[in-house]
Amino acid sequence: MRNSNRQWILRKRPTGDIQPGDLELVDSPIPDPGPNQFLARTIYLSLDPTNRIWMSDIEQYMPPVGLGEVMRGGTLSVVVRSNNPAYEPGDIVSGIAGWQEYAVMDFAQKLPKTGVPLPAYMSVLGMTGATAYFGLLDIGQPKSGETVVVSAAAGAVGSIVGQIAKIKGCRVVGIAGSDEKCKHVVKDFGFDACINYKTEDVAKALKRECPNGIDVDFENVGGTIFEAVLDNINMKARIALCGMISGYNSEGQMSGPANFSMLLMKRARVEGFIIIDYFPRMGEFMADMAGWVASGKVKYDTTIVKGMENALSALNMLFTGGNTGKLLIQASEEP
Ligand SMILES: NC(=O)c1ccc[n+]([C@@H]2O[C@H](COP(=O)([O-])OP(=O)(O)OC[C@H]3O[C@@H](n4cnc5c(N)ncnc54)[C@H](OP(=O)(O)O)[C@@H]3O)[C@@H](O)[C@H]2O)c1
């Protein structure tokens, strides 16, 4: 056990790309759990595009992280000491312990002891998988034979969306930032095609790869990629607006597509969603996804960077495309 607790503190609200001084790594004493609390050691920290949103003070779905506070982040931890009868040392828990090596917690979700690799609970069997599942099935409502487009296709959420859409019998076209990522989602995850947005005219390539038009768009990126998709939607298309990562580093609120009128012309529906609203339905997701993962129908990637000290530089990988699949910090060894 370390004798101090490294924590990342938010010092400044970033303007544009996150800069090294926006967060500070500090050494603090390991805290003691109070009555009914437990001390948890972080094993994995989830790095998410939304971390950048939480650092800003734009209108958002959770309060922004306060200046001087430990950065918020999803975690998978092991209980090391407990004053709460519901938790005992050795329990593995998932929660929001933040960007720190140790945290005192009142509540976290206990994970079953199943032999499933722990990173799966931070990706395909966690929030990432649930985002793909509910966004695609609840909002996108794909039907067999329809065409589904997914941006950030080799990322954590996108790679799973495409595989679920294949299970539902759809033609699946991904959009990603390199030939290597494109090859990977086609060869390993069964996408029908993938467009490298850095080397192709996306609107033209979508016309080629979606000869019957686009029925469902799982939108992870926004900006010009979203516009290219809108140029190719069918009547009554459904757009699950999951994220707009291309705008997260810009100042103020993100702007919408210049061709917004396509929604009117095509009588299409766009619906934003935030996964926290689906928490009461997590059982539904687990029932399907656990089976798909166990049978190999859904595969997942992780990019794991070791050391809490690397959290800030690793976060930038999400904006440069340095990750494939779910990006995690491994803060300490698995027990
Ligand atoms: N609504 C919700 O509840 C919810 C929950 C989770 C995630 N999300 C959203 O889902 C999206 C994906 O999240 P994730 O966790 O799965 O991350 P991810 O896809 O694993 O990583 C982000 C990827 O986005 C791509 N990207 C970054 N900047 C881009 C740009 N300017 N243009 C085009 N592509 C860009 C990069 O891939 P390339 O190499 O392909 O560029 C990067 O690898 C994000 O928008 C996130 O905010 C929403």
Side-chain angles (χ1 to χ4, degrees), residues 70-86:
V70 174
M71 181 59 206
R72 184 187 296 137
T75 48
L76 192 136
S77 313
V78 56
V79 175
V80 288
R81 226 163 345 122
S82 178
N83 298 328
N84 182 325

Side-chain angles (χ1 to χ4, degrees), residues 47-50 53 61 127-128 131 151-158 175-178 181 197-198 218-222 225 241-248 273-276 317-327:
L47 293 181
D48 297 281
T50 200
I53 296 177
Y61 60 92
M127 289 310 120
T128 299
T131 302
S151 47
V157 173
I175 303 173
S178 72
K181 285 187 176 184
Y197 71 86
K198 291 190 178 157
F218 193 101
E219 190 52 52
N220 282 323
V221 169
I225 289 182
L241 183 57
C242 176
M244 301 174 74
I245 192 169
S246 67
Y248 293 175
F273 72 99
I274 299 288
I275 191 55
I276 50 181
M317 294 167 78
L318 296 170
F319 299 96
T320 59
N323 68 305
T324 302
K326 180 70 206 159
L327 180 61

